[in-house]
Amino acid sequence: MSDVAHGWHPDYQWHEAATFWQKSPEGEESLAGLRKSPTSSGPTFGDLLSPRGLGAELAKEIDEVHDKEMSAAVLALYRSAWPNFHADWGKDFDRPAAAPGLILAPTGDPMAQPSRDRDMAERLGAQLTELDGLTHYWMLQDPERGADVLRRFWASLPS
């Protein structure tokens, strides 16, 4: 299962923040600036995630725990897949997968790329479910709908 299958597409290009974080020392400086501190007055990491559907309460919780270790993990993820997931990790994603798969496409995400999600579902022989109106945080926005989609997929699998 994937809810970011478009990132595995050979033509995928990272979003602006990711390409910035892939640079050093710019990435380190950017994330350090997004960490909440008693003297910070600018935007936080939670503020950056909010337009993608993260609620204010969870954004605040993320800001409370966003430390150097979390920043390092973010940088390691984005820097480990250059220029995209496909180049480093997805060379085998050009044919149907051996096991049934599910691709979720949250179409309300400002960074969504439903056409690439559909293409990846076709390449992998995976089932595609578009989550209209939901974002990257679909599981928090509508947990009942997300659970229903997952249950239906699991029920469709051979015994």
Side-chain angles (χ1 to χ4, degrees), residues 78-91:
Y78 286 115
R79 292 174 179 173
S80 69
W82 175 257
N84 57 33
F85 295 143
H86 183 270
D88 286 340
W89 307 336
K91 292 182 177 37

Side-chain angles (χ1 to χ4, degrees), residues 21 23-33 35 71 75 79:
W21 292 336
K23 299 174 187 171
S24 184
E26 293 89 343
E28 287 82 358
E29 292 166 356
S30 169
L31 287 172
R35 287 196 291 273
S71 290
L75 295 173
R79 292 174 179 173

Side-chain angles (χ1 to χ4, degrees), residues 15-137:
H15 52 82
E16 187 177 335
T19 57
F20 190 73
W21 292 336
Q22 289 167 334
K23 299 174 187 171
S24 184
E26 293 89 343
E28 287 82 358
E29 292 166 356
S30 169
L31 287 172
L34 292 172
R35 287 196 291 273
K36 187 178 178 184
S37 74
T39 60
S40 64
S41 61
T44 64
F45 198 60
D47 293 332
L48 188 69
L49 301 175
S50 292
R52 295 190 73 189
L54 184 69
E57 187 176 317
L58 188 54
K60 183 180 177 190
E61 286 182 39
I62 288 172
D63 287 337
E64 294 296 328
V65 299
H66 182 199
D67 58 9
K68 288 181 182 182
E69 188 174 342
M70 183 175 167
S71 290
V74 169
L75 295 173
L77 169 67
Y78 286 115
R79 292 174 179 173
S80 69
W82 175 257
N84 57 33
F85 295 143
H86 183 270
D88 286 340
W89 307 336
K91 292 182 177 37
D92 292 331
F93 290 170
D94 61 349
R95 60 186 171 279
L102 173 65
I103 291 177
L104 301 174
T107 62
D109 189 329
M111 296 179 190
Q113 296 187 15
S115 63
R116 289 201 171 125
D117 287 325
R118 283 189 288 277
D119 186 49
M120 290 307 298
E122 189 174 312
R123 289 171 185 246
L124 298 172
Q127 198 176 112
L128 175 73
T129 299
E130 290 191 1
L131 301 172
D132 294 327
L134 299 181
T135 71
H136 189 65
Y137 301 100

